[in-house]
Amino acid sequence: MATTTAAARWSFPARLQLLTSRRFCFPASSAAPPSSVAGFSWADALRVAGDGGRGDESDLSGYFRKVKSCNRGMDKKGQFVKFSVEDQVVGYIHKGFIEHIRDFHDVFTIVMDDNGSNTVEHVSLQSSLRTPEDRTHAIGSVIKSLGELIPGIRNELYPVTSSYGMPVYFSLERAAAPYFGIKAYGVHMNGYVEKDGQKFLWIGKRSDVKQTYPGMLDHLVAGGLPYGMSCKENIIKECEEEAGITRSISTNATSVGAVSYMDIEGFRYKRDVLFCYDLQLPADFVPNNEDGEVDSFRLVPVIHAANIIRRTDFFKPNCNLVIIDFLFRHGYINPDSRCYLDLLQSLRSV
């Protein structure tokens, strides 16, 4: 098996039979990331990846399961109402969550249905909040007041718009975006190498102390799109921080489209769009994490990365979608496979 190691640290014994039987699925009832470190090592992942005797290359069912795991709860959309600013819909709020913001009269206007049913029709911001700065400050204060109801506060602001590229109405704490049904955007980059006619992907293993999905497999470079930064500049910044890729190399990253998904669980309505990039790296390049968020890297044959996706739940869930998209574009998934078009279309839900 052709693999290259960069700063690998082995933290768990390899128990492949146990791992593959457990499947490491996230509980169907919770969209929250796992609170404990993923219990697998690189040895486990690479052993699964290199088991080529199963004859499952044309079986797309494993990919469909990964797409489904990112798109749950669509039957619960009726539990949410529209959240609007200046008569433009920017998100969706769960009827139960509205009870937690109902008393913030100076921030939110809760419009009731006029048919006598005493149900909420939609939520909007108070008209007195006229500027993006006023709205950002007001909603930020609400989020602080809600405390533990919104976990994982990162002090990272996301722009709130009616659609991508439209005017920004206000900025919202990243962790709160799903509670207001705000569409969030991110950048994910597949860093790959070509050797002797074969393609390899650089795969990262997240730090065991990451707040979300600790110890799971990840892209070489990925990050949320913050307010006031272009996608390309964000990729360049993340390349330096997460993999030590210099600007002279990262500027060659190519925009190749986007994938999207919607996930509903409890009060959370997660609507994410991931802008995808490819970067062909020099054959002798070795990544070096600068921000402490990655434990180690491995250079893995693309077909082996595909095996890990199909056969395990070792990857951070939304990374699966971006790599599946890569497999389409580079010919690893072809039209001769049953349900090819269905899988292709499922990568873009919004």
Side-chain angles (χ1 to χ4, degrees):
M1 185 187 311
T3 58
T4 301
T5 309
R9 294 190 292 276
W10 306 79
S11 55
F12 293 93
R15 290 196 288 267
L16 178 62
Q17 185 174 0
L18 174 61
L19 294 173
T20 53
S21 65
R22 287 171 58 186
R23 300 291 297 171
F24 282 89
C25 295
F26 298 113
S29 61
S30 176
S35 58
S36 59
V37 176
F40 67 88
S41 69
W42 276 116
D44 302 315
L46 297 177
R47 196 172 293 116
V48 171
D51 180 7
R54 305 189 190 189
D56 58 355
E57 289 77 9
S58 63
D59 181 5
L60 304 184
S61 60
Y63 300 133
F64 274 108
R65 285 193 293 271
K66 299 308 182 295
V67 174
K68 185 177 180 180
S69 72
C70 288
N71 292 273
R72 301 171 300 167
M74 291 302 103
D75 59 324
K76 299 180 176 64
K77 289 179 70 173
Q79 299 176 10
F80 292 77
V81 299
K82 293 177 181 178
F83 175 38
S84 61
V85 181
E86 296 182 5
D87 296 323
Q88 296 294 314
V89 176
V90 298
Y92 299 89
I93 303 179
H94 192 278
K95 295 174 184 177
F97 188 75
I98 290 173
E99 298 308 310
H100 294 280
I101 63 173
R102 185 181 292 277
D103 292 337
F104 295 94
H105 304 290
D106 55 340
V107 180
F108 300 104
T109 297
I110 299 173
V111 179
M112 307 300 292
D113 199 320
D114 59 6
N115 62 7
S117 63
N118 197 35
T119 59
V120 177
E121 185 178 87
H122 71 270
V123 177
S124 63
L125 290 181
Q126 283 286 0
S127 59
S128 59
L129 300 172
R130 299 182 181 276
T131 68
E133 293 76 16
D134 288 343
R135 297 165 185 158
T136 298
H137 177 75
I139 294 186
S141 296
V142 171
I143 291 168
K144 288 180 181 178
S145 298
L146 294 176
E148 293 298 319
L149 187 63
I150 300 179
I153 298 297
R154 307 182 187 188
N155 296 314
E156 256 183 80
L157 293 179
Y158 274 5
V160 177
T161 66
S162 58
S163 61
Y164 185 72
M166 298 302 287
V168 177
Y169 292 115
F170 63 94
S171 297
L172 180 68
E173 159 61 39
R174 176 178 180 176
Y179 293 89
F180 291 89
I182 303 302
K183 191 174 288 187
Y185 301 89
V187 293
H188 280 235
M189 191 189 82
N190 287 299
Y192 71 98
V193 169
E194 291 192 14
K195 294 182 180 181
D196 301 322
Q198 185 178 8
K199 290 179 181 176
F200 299 76
L201 280 172
W202 275 108
I203 303 297
K205 194 170 189 297
R206 294 163 71 87
S207 167
D208 289 348
V209 297
K210 278 282 289 181
Q211 187 177 45
T212 57
Y213 304 104
M216 299 194 74
L217 301 186
D218 204 340
H219 281 110
L220 178 61
V221 170
L225 184 61
Y227 176 67
M229 182 175 290
S230 70
C231 290
K232 190 59 179 280
E233 280 302 316
N234 198 23
I235 276 289
I236 292 171
K237 176 183 76 71
E238 297 289 351
C239 277
E240 177 66 29
E241 293 175 357
E242 296 193 351
I245 303 173
T246 62
R247 178 177 285 265
S248 62
I249 296 176
S250 61
T251 51
N252 296 318
T254 303
S255 171
V256 292
V259 299
S260 58
Y261 58 95
M262 295 187 292
D263 185 274
I264 293 177
E265 197 280 329
F267 291 160
R268 295 158 47 92
Y269 192 162
K270 191 171 177 61
R271 301 192 298 149
D272 284 2
V273 177
L274 309 179
F275 294 109
C276 303
Y277 285 78
D278 282 356
L279 177 61
Q280 183 173 353
L281 293 159
D284 60 353
F285 171 79
V286 177
N288 178 43
N289 179 244
E290 303 286 348
D291 61 9
E293 295 188 355
V294 182
D295 174 79
S296 52
F297 297 97
R298 283 290 178 108
L299 186 62
V300 180
V302 172
I303 191 61
H304 289 183
N307 288 342
I308 295 172
I309 290 173
R310 282 203 307 270
R311 300 169 182 174
T312 76
D313 294 291
F314 292 170
F315 271 101
K316 180 174 174 281
N318 63 2
C319 295
N320 290 311
L321 307 188
V322 180
I323 296 177
I324 292 170
D325 180 68
F326 181 93
L327 297 175
F328 271 107
R329 293 184 290 98
H330 290 260
Y332 291 91
I333 300 176
N334 62 69
D336 294 329
S337 299
R338 185 171 177 266
C339 299
Y340 173 91
L341 288 177
D342 291 336
L343 180 61
L344 182 63
Q345 293 168 358
S346 73
L347 296 176
R348 296 163 183 87
S349 61
V350 294

